[in-house]
């Protein structure tokens, strides 16, 4: 028998036995049918080859059956030209060509059962020809173009036939039907599996017992599964596993029939002699005997597949093949648990939990989930749980998020089946995952946490206890437990993440705002403990987070990919929740503020609640009195506190309540104006007293000014207080501080801040109503087109943007003439459009470096394209365009600002740099934008990091960086200049703000007379050409080389290359990639149990030092690299 030892190595003792026990047998001693095969035969390739066909392990034959043909005596027969589908020659639409079974299944136009029925009819007529079609079906499904002929069938063994098919296999392409992409081949895989299942189901009553069909198919699949060709091995393994699944279903049905027959036999035998029907007993005995024989046959087949294919392929080198085996053995254990759900088969799943590929580990977990879902199977899983529980718990930290999610779900199922199966340490390993930044992991951990801590075990008893205590909700203890869990968490303080993790599993608890309010407002009843101050703060924070989650219906910031469109059901739930929380907290919030008005932290959190209200409820529900109570409490809070968080929360609440769309706006505006009036009067008096006292002012005078000024500054941030003229008194304070030098620093800071807000509000009034005429021309289609262009080619997109601005500028010149009014709304509109264009380049300047530099190059050339006809002392006609171009200067990195400035100086004469008239202001402004930050860059590109890079990369044998840079910069703008034509100032373009496309000029075609490597090749060959930035830097290198020629001549060629490399180091790849590659061998030698452990993505506020250590220093010139998958902000 098979002895189980849970270890990494498989230990066999004697033989493997596949046994299906007759459960109806009372003795249980003689009805165990077992077929044995010595394991040395399975491992010895010579013995294995002898048993290639037929069912391995058959030792004895039933006396009333004919002896089977030896596997070595059988042969396969197929004819190349017959091409019968389902045993019948068919014609396709091309005139006479036969359609094969493979093509029928691939097309999937016929019902699979009818296809199988036709094949069965053909098999009954000529079983050799039918098997011919079936076996060639498996060969063709593997992608092999060869065909087994009748001569091969009669004269060759299986191994020789497979070797012949291997020779005819098309090795040029690695694709075969199971791996080909596309919906047709995905459907083919489904049809392929369905065909095998239907074939066995339709043959289960006769053909599979004829000792010919199944022997032939199993023998062929066993040989193919041992092939070195991946396509043969993959396809045959999938076919064999689906064949085994179908046989397991047949065995299950036979077992059920045996049980029924046994019960009928026992019932008839127990009748008294006069009523007993002997003929019926004989028929039942005969039926039971036939069923037992059929069971023996099925066991033989399953033994052949399991020991001949599964045992070898579950550890195949290809992960997908391993995954197929594990997926199907899970199906067997669930389908026929009496035969398969034991340690002999569970061990394969347990061992594969350590697989190096996440795909295989995922199949293991899902197979186990199907078993642990059925609580009746838990006793059979007890030994497995004890052995592999630690591994399953550790997989909750798997580096593959999908695997981690399924591991957490499996641990949850284990918890549901047995509370004692998991230790406290096991549970704690899952608890902290509710704070993971990866939402599926966090939600799965939330489900586990809910099952463990927050599920109500006896709802009726808990509701009765709550009523006796005078509580309206039975969730009081659970909410207390939630607060304790939140406080005792050692990793995070993110209530929003905890609420989001529990939202799908514990909504009833998290939306019980009445219970939360009771715990905060009411005194504890008998048997309850009073909440501590820390617990009250935590409960308020959790309450606010649940309100936000219900009102916004999307995860918190940092978790998830952004807001998604809600379904109709989700939208209805959101509206209902918002109405519910509004109706409750409209009445409860004033009471909560009244109780906690002295606690700054609690009040600041509570004042966030009104922003989630449906404010129409105030007027619709006639609840204005509650609004007055809320405004009264906010006023008291403002008068009590000077903490910035509290004051900003009060200011924001007033701003929300004053929204013009609600009818309560007038009532709130009056209350706000009264409060501002009082604070303004108090501020004016306190300022007078402070200035009069001068240096003799005491602490009370300073406090009065500072406290009032803090309140007004916080309100001025969100409200337009210019009609109260706070700027005047702030200016007086600042002036006195400058003149006397005795003004306290805090007052000066607040006065500056308040003055800043006053100026901003004035600017808002000035800029209101300025039309953004050009921005409105850009609809959704053009925006989407620009987005796609940016993803395809950033430089082409940049040239498109600058061309659009140039076209608008030309139109404006034609309308207004060369003397543009730079303060006009038209110029402001073009500048606003340029500012919005600049936002499309995103935050990562490295990724858009070349595109932005090219944009500046084109803009400079356009600005100096046409000289003024009145003379050189007058600015070029398009010089004002530099003011538009200045909007993109902030997108240049420091090194490139120097390069662009040098390029600009090439167009400037000496007199231009000295001009200071208004007409030259665009040039002055643009130069200043390039010089800002450019001169501050004192970082040497040849020191520090470059030496490290050289030491690491030299070991890898990489080419010099200057060569890599030249070859890597494709699509130089020396070539692309002709693709986008800048319109002249004398012609109005036909299409406004649209890319003008023209064919490439003929001069860019290669010259047939030129030799390879000539100057023409260099200029026009994108694989040789350098980028514009690279060309500018190379010019600089050449200039430096000329000034130090004697020194360079004394150096070797290697030294020259190192010099160029150092100067070009800012475009090199990050150092850390080389370090990771150099240590790859060491990483592969690590224990596989540690390799699949992930690092949890913590929320953004935590210190993520571990991941930061692997990031390049983007402020180091040696770490700058362009990445096409970069982040960019939305354009509008």
């Amino acid at each position: 028998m098979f002895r189980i030892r849970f270890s990494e190595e498989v230990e066999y003792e004697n033989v493997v036995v596949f046994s299906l026990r007759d459960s109806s047998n009372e003795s249980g001693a003689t009805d165990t049918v077992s077929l044995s095969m010595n394991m040395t035969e399975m491992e010895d390739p010579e013995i294995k080859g002898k048993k290639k066909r037929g069912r391995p392990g058959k030792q004895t034959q039933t006396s009333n059956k004919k002896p089977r043909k030896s596997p070595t005596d059988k042969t396969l027969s197929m004819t190349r030209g017959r091409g019968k589908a389902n045993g019948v020659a068919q014609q396709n639409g091309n005139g006479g060509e036969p359609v094969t079974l493979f093509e029928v299944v691939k097309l999937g136009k016929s019902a699979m059962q009818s296809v199988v029925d036709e094949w069965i009819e053909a098999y009954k007529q000529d079983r050799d020809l039918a098997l011919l079609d079936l076996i060639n079906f498996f060969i063709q499904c593997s992608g092999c173009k060869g065909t087994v002929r009748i001569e091969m069938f009669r004269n060759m063994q299986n191994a020789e036939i497979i070797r012949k098919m291997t020779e005819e296999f098309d090795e040029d392409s690695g694709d075969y039907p199971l791996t080909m992409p596309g919906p047709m081949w995905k459907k083919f895989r489904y049809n392929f599996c369905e065909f095998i299942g239907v074939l066995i189901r339709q043959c289960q009553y006769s053909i599979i017992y004829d000792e010919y069909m199944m022997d032939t198919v199993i023998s062929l699949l066993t040989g193919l599964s041992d092939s070195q060709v991946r396509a043969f091995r993959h396809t045959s393994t999938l076919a064999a596993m689906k064949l085994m699944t179908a046989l397991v279903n047949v065995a299950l049905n036979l077992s059920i029939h045996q049980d029924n027959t046994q019960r009928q036999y026992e019932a008839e035998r127990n009748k008294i002699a006069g009523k007993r029907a002997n003929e019926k007993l004989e028929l039942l005995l005969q039926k039971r005997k036939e069923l037992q024989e059929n069971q023996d046959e099925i066991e033989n087949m399953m033994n052949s597949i399991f020991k001949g294919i599964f045992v070898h392929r579950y550890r195949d080198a290809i992960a997908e093949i391993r995954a197929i085996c594990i997926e199907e053995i899970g199906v067997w254990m669930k389908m026929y648990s009496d035969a398969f759900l034991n340690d002999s088969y569970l061990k394969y799943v347990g061992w594969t939990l350590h697989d190096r590929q996440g795909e295989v580990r995922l199949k293991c977990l899902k197979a186990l989930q199907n078993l642990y879902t059925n609580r009746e199977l838990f006793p059979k899983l007890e030994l497995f749980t004890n052995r592999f529980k630690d591994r399953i718990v550790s997989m909750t930290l798997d580096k593959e998020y999908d695997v981690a999610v399924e591991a957490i779900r499996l641990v949850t199922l284990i918890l549901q089946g047995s509370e004692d199966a998991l230790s406290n340490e096991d549970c704690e390993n899952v608890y902290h995952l509710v704070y993971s930044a990866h939402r599926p992991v966090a939600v799965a951990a939330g489900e586990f946490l809910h099952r463990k801590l927050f599920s109500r075990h006896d709802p009726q008893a808990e509701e009765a206890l709550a009523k006796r205590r005078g509580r309206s909700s039975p969730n009081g203890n659970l909410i207390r437990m939630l607060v304790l869990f939140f406080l005792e968490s050692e990793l995070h303080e993110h209530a929003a993440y905890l609420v989001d993790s529990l939202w799908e599993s514990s909504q009833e608890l998290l939306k019980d705002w009445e219970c939360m309010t009771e715990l905060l407002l009411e005194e504890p009843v008998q048997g309850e403990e009073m909440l501590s101050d820390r617990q009250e703060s935590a409960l308020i924070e959790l309450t606010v987070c649940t309100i936000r989650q219900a009102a916004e219906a999307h995860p918190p910031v940092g978790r998830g990919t952004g807001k998604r469109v809600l379904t109709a059901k989700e939208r209805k739930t959101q509206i209902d929740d918002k109405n519910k929380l509004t109706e409750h907290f409209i009445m409860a919030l004033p009471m909560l503020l009244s109780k906690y008005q002295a606690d700054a932290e609690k009040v600041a959190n509570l004042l966030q609640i009104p922003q989630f209200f449906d404010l129409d409820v105030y007027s619709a529900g006639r609840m204005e009195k509650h609004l007055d109570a809320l405004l009264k409490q906010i006023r008291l809070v403002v008068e009590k506190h000077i903490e910035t968080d509290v004051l900003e929360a009060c200011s924001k609440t007033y701003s929300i309540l004053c929204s013009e769309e609600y009818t309560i706006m007038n009532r709130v505006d009056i209350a706000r104006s009264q409060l501002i009036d009082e604070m303004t009067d108090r501020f004016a008096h306190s300022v007078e007293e402070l200035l009069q006292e001068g240096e003799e002012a005491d602490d009370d005078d300073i406090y009065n000014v500072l406290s009032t000024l803090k309140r007004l500054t916080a309100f001025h941030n969100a409200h337009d207080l210019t009609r109260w003229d706070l700027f005047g008194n702030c200016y007086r304070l600042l002036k006195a501080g400058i003149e006397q030098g005795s003004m306290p620093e805090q007052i000066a800071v607040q006065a500056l801040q308040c003055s800043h807000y006053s100026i901003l509000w004035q600017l808002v009034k000035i800029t209101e109503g300025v039309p953004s005429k050009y921005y409105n021309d850009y609809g959704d289609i053009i925006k989407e087109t620009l987005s796609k262009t940016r993803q395809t080619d950033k430089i082409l997109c940049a040239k498109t943007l600058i061309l659009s601005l140039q076209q608008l500028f030309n139109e404006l010149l034609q309308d207004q003439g060369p003397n543009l009014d730079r303060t006009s709304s038209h110029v402001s509109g073009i500048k606003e459009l340029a500012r919005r264009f600049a936002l499309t380049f995103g935050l990562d300047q490295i990724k858009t470096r070349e595109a932005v530099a090219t944009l500046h190059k084109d803009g400079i050339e356009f600005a100096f394209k046409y000289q003024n006809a009145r003379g050189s002392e007058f600015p070029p006609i398009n010089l004002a365009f530099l003011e538009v171009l200045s909007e993109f200067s902030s997108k240049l990195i420091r090194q490139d600002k120097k390069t662009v400035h040098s390029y600009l100086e090439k167009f400037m004469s000496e007199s231009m740099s000295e001009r200071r008239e208004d007409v030259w202001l665009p040039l002055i402004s643009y130069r200043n934008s390039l010089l800002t930050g450019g001169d501050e860059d004192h970082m040497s590109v040849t020191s520090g990091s470059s030496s490290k890079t050289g030491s690491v990369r030299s070991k890898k044998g990489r080419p010099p960086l200057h060569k890599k840079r030249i070859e890597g910069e494709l699509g130089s703008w020396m070539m692309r200049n002709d693709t986008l034509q800048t319109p002249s100032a004398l012609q109005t373009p036909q299409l406004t703000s649209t890319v003008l496309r023209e064919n490439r000029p003929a001069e860019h075609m290669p010259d047939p007379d030129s030799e390879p490597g000539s100057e023409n090749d260099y200029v026009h060959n994108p694989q040789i050409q350098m980028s514009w930035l690279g060309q500018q830097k190379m010019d600089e290198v050449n200039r430096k080389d000329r000034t130090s020629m004697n020194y360079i001549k004394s150096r070797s060629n290697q030294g020259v290359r190192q010099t160029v490399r150092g100067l070009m180091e800012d475009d090199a790849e990050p150092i850390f990639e080389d370090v990771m590659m150099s240590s790859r061998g060491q990483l592969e030698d690590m224990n596989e149990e540690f390799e699949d452990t992930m690092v949890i993505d913590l929320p953004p506020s935590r210190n993520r030092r571990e991941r930061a250590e692997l990031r390049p220093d983007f402020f180091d010139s040696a770490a700058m690299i362009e990445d096409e998958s970069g982040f960019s902000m939305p354009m509008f």
Side-chain angles (χ1 to χ4, degrees), residues 860-1093:
I860 293 172
E861 293 173 352
F862 175 76
F864 291 93
K865 187 173 184 179
Y866 301 105
Q867 297 299 321
N868 200 311
R870 293 183 291 175
S872 60
E873 66 274 10
F874 294 94
I877 296 175
N878 297 340
L879 188 70
F881 187 76
L882 293 178
E883 196 166 3
V884 178
L885 194 59
S886 300
E887 298 293 337
F888 298 91
S889 296
S890 61
K891 297 300 178 181
L892 287 168
I893 63 175
R894 291 177 177 178
Q895 298 96 314
D896 294 347
K897 282 186 177 182
K898 293 181 180 180
T899 304
V900 173
H901 183 264
S902 300
Y903 190 73
L904 174 67
E905 289 182 336
K906 294 179 181 179
F907 293 86
M908 294 172 54
S909 62
E910 294 182 2
S911 60
M912 288 183 183
S913 60
E914 298 175 356
R915 294 302 184 99
R916 292 295 182 267
E917 295 86 351
D918 288 346
V919 292
W920 294 95
L921 285 179
L923 176 59
I924 298 172
S925 175
Y926 182 60
R927 285 190 67 196
N928 291 337
S929 69
L930 296 177
L931 294 174
T932 302
D935 294 335
E936 299 172 3
D937 183 17
H938 304 295
M939 180 175 54
S940 172
V941 297
T942 60
S943 63
S945 60
S946 67
S947 62
K948 294 180 182 179
T949 307
S951 63
V952 175
R953 299 189 180 200
S954 62
K955 297 178 182 179
K956 288 292 181 180
R958 294 193 174 187
L961 285 182
H962 69 281
K963 180 178 179 181
K964 180 178 178 180
R965 177 63 176 171
I966 292 174
E967 294 177 351
E969 294 290 350
L970 303 180
S972 165
W973 297 114
M974 297 167 65
M975 178 184 69
R976 297 198 188 192
N977 281 341
D978 292 332
T979 61
L980 297 177
Q981 298 294 334
T982 303
S984 66
L986 302 178
Q987 296 180 353
T988 303
Q990 298 296 324
L991 298 175
T992 304
S993 301
T994 306
V995 180
L996 299 179
R997 301 183 181 272
E998 295 182 1
N999 294 329
R1000 294 185 181 273
E1003 60 266 24
H1004 279 195
M1005 297 296 292
D1007 187 359
D1009 297 330
S1010 63
E1011 296 180 359
S1014 64
E1015 182 178 357
N1016 288 338
D1017 285 342
Y1018 180 80
V1019 173
H1020 303 302
N1021 188 348
Q1023 295 183 353
I1024 302 177
Q1025 203 171 342
M1026 301 177 67
S1027 67
W1028 178 73
L1029 271 179
Q1031 182 64 48
Q1032 297 300 313
K1033 292 181 179 180
M1034 188 58 69
D1035 292 343
E1036 183 179 355
V1037 171
N1038 293 334
R1039 286 196 299 272
K1040 293 183 178 181
D1041 286 347
R1042 286 193 295 269
T1043 58
S1044 57
M1045 185 63 66
N1046 293 333
Y1047 174 76
I1048 293 180
K1049 287 181 178 179
S1050 64
R1051 304 290 293 175
S1052 64
N1053 292 334
Q1054 180 65 25
V1056 174
R1057 287 196 293 270
Q1058 290 296 333
T1059 302
V1060 177
R1061 173 178 179 173
L1063 292 169
M1064 299 296 291
E1065 194 68 18
D1066 52 356
D1067 291 327
E1069 295 181 0
I1071 298 174
F1072 76 95
E1073 291 191 6
D1074 284 311
V1075 175
M1076 294 301 289
M1077 286 188 288
S1078 65
S1079 61
R1080 182 177 299 170
Q1082 298 177 7
L1083 292 176
E1084 291 179 352
D1085 293 335
M1086 293 175 63
N1087 188 291
E1088 59 185 348
E1089 192 160 349
F1090 292 93
E1091 282 187 350
D1092 53 7
T1093 301

Side-chain angles (χ1 to χ4, degrees), residues 29-261:
T30 60
D31 288 337
T32 298
V33 181
S34 62
L35 292 170
S36 307
M37 182 176 184
N38 195 302
M39 288 311 300
T40 58
E41 296 179 5
M42 296 296 298
E43 299 299 331
D44 189 343
E46 295 184 359
I47 298 177
K48 182 178 177 181
K50 293 179 181 180
K51 292 191 174 286
K52 194 72 87 147
R53 285 188 258 168
R55 287 165 294 192
K58 187 72 175 178
Q59 294 180 338
T60 59
Q61 297 289 339
T62 309
S63 60
N64 59 351
K65 288 189 178 181
K66 296 180 180 180
R68 295 191 181 185
K69 295 180 180 180
S70 171
T72 58
D73 294 336
K74 292 186 179 179
T75 56
L76 301 177
S77 62
M78 300 194 83
T79 57
R80 177 181 293 273
R82 301 280 300 211
K84 289 195 174 187
N86 312 321
V88 180
Q90 300 182 11
Q91 306 294 325
N92 62 14
N94 296 329
E97 287 296 327
V99 177
T100 65
L101 183 59
F102 166 73
E103 292 172 340
V104 173
V105 173
K106 182 181 73 172
L107 294 176
K109 295 182 179 180
S110 303
M112 206 56 64
Q113 183 166 339
S114 64
V115 174
V116 171
D117 289 343
E118 292 178 8
W119 183 89
I120 292 175
E121 290 299 322
Y123 182 83
K124 291 178 180 178
Q125 296 175 10
D126 190 333
R127 64 182 189 178
D128 285 342
L129 289 179
L131 278 177
L132 188 78
D133 200 8
L134 182 61
I135 297 175
N136 252 341
F137 167 73
F138 291 116
I139 297 293
Q140 293 172 357
C141 286
S142 301
C144 180
K145 304 300 182 182
T147 305
V148 180
R149 301 186 301 274
I150 188 64
E151 297 82 5
M152 298 166 59
F153 167 76
R154 291 173 178 171
N155 303 319
M156 300 172 65
Q157 296 296 321
N158 270 355
E160 296 173 330
I161 294 175
I162 294 174
R163 185 163 53 250
K164 183 66 175 177
M165 293 298 100
T166 302
E167 294 173 357
E168 298 185 18
F169 206 95
D170 182 11
E171 298 181 357
D172 294 337
S173 173
D175 291 335
Y176 49 95
L178 292 184
T179 61
M180 288 183 181
M184 182 185 74
W185 295 110
K186 184 177 180 180
K187 183 179 179 182
F188 165 77
R189 182 189 181 104
Y190 174 81
N191 292 339
F192 177 76
C193 298
E194 183 186 13
F195 172 80
I196 296 173
V198 174
L199 177 65
I200 299 302
R201 187 182 68 208
Q202 296 299 102
C203 297
Q204 64 178 318
Y205 299 111
S206 59
I207 295 179
I208 62 173
Y209 303 112
D210 68 356
E211 301 183 358
Y212 186 70
M213 169 200 159
M214 291 302 295
D215 285 0
T216 304
V217 172
I218 293 174
S219 178
L220 176 72
L221 295 179
T222 302
L224 290 174
S225 69
D226 200 36
S227 171
Q228 295 296 320
V229 178
R230 171 177 175 171
F232 280 151
R233 205 165 67 252
H234 186 183
T235 307
S236 61
T237 301
L238 177 61
M241 294 301 101
K242 292 299 180 181
L243 187 68
M244 178 78 167
T245 301
L247 290 175
V248 169
N249 189 51
V250 173
L252 178 61
N253 292 333
L254 287 174
S255 177
I256 294 173
H257 290 318
Q258 278 186 299
D259 291 343
N260 294 336
T261 303

Side-chain angles (χ1 to χ4, degrees), residues 412-429:
T412 305
L413 290 173
I414 295 174
L415 176 69
Q416 288 180 250
S418 174
E419 291 283 345
D420 301 329
L422 299 176
S423 64
N424 292 333
E425 183 180 358
D426 295 332
C427 296
E428 290 172 0
N429 288 334

Side-chain angles (χ1 to χ4, degrees), residues 401-439:
Y401 285 127
D402 292 343
V403 177
V405 170
E406 299 304 329
I408 297 171
R409 290 174 179 169
L410 179 57
V411 173
T412 305
L413 290 173
I414 295 174
L415 176 69
Q416 288 180 250
S418 174
E419 291 283 345
D420 301 329
L422 299 176
S423 64
N424 292 333
E425 183 180 358
D426 295 332
C427 296
E428 290 172 0
N429 288 334
V430 182
Y431 288 162
H432 71 275
L433 293 175
V434 296
Y435 296 104
S436 171
H438 190 261
R439 192 168 191 269

Side-chain angles (χ1 to χ4, degrees), residues 687 690-691 694-695 729-745 747-749 751:
V687 169
L690 180 65
L691 295 179
E695 296 181 358
N729 283 323
C730 291
Y731 175 75
R732 293 174 62 193
L733 289 173
L734 294 172
K735 183 179 179 182
I738 295 173
E739 294 176 351
Q740 301 174 7
S742 60
M743 187 63 62
E745 180 182 349
I747 293 180
V749 171

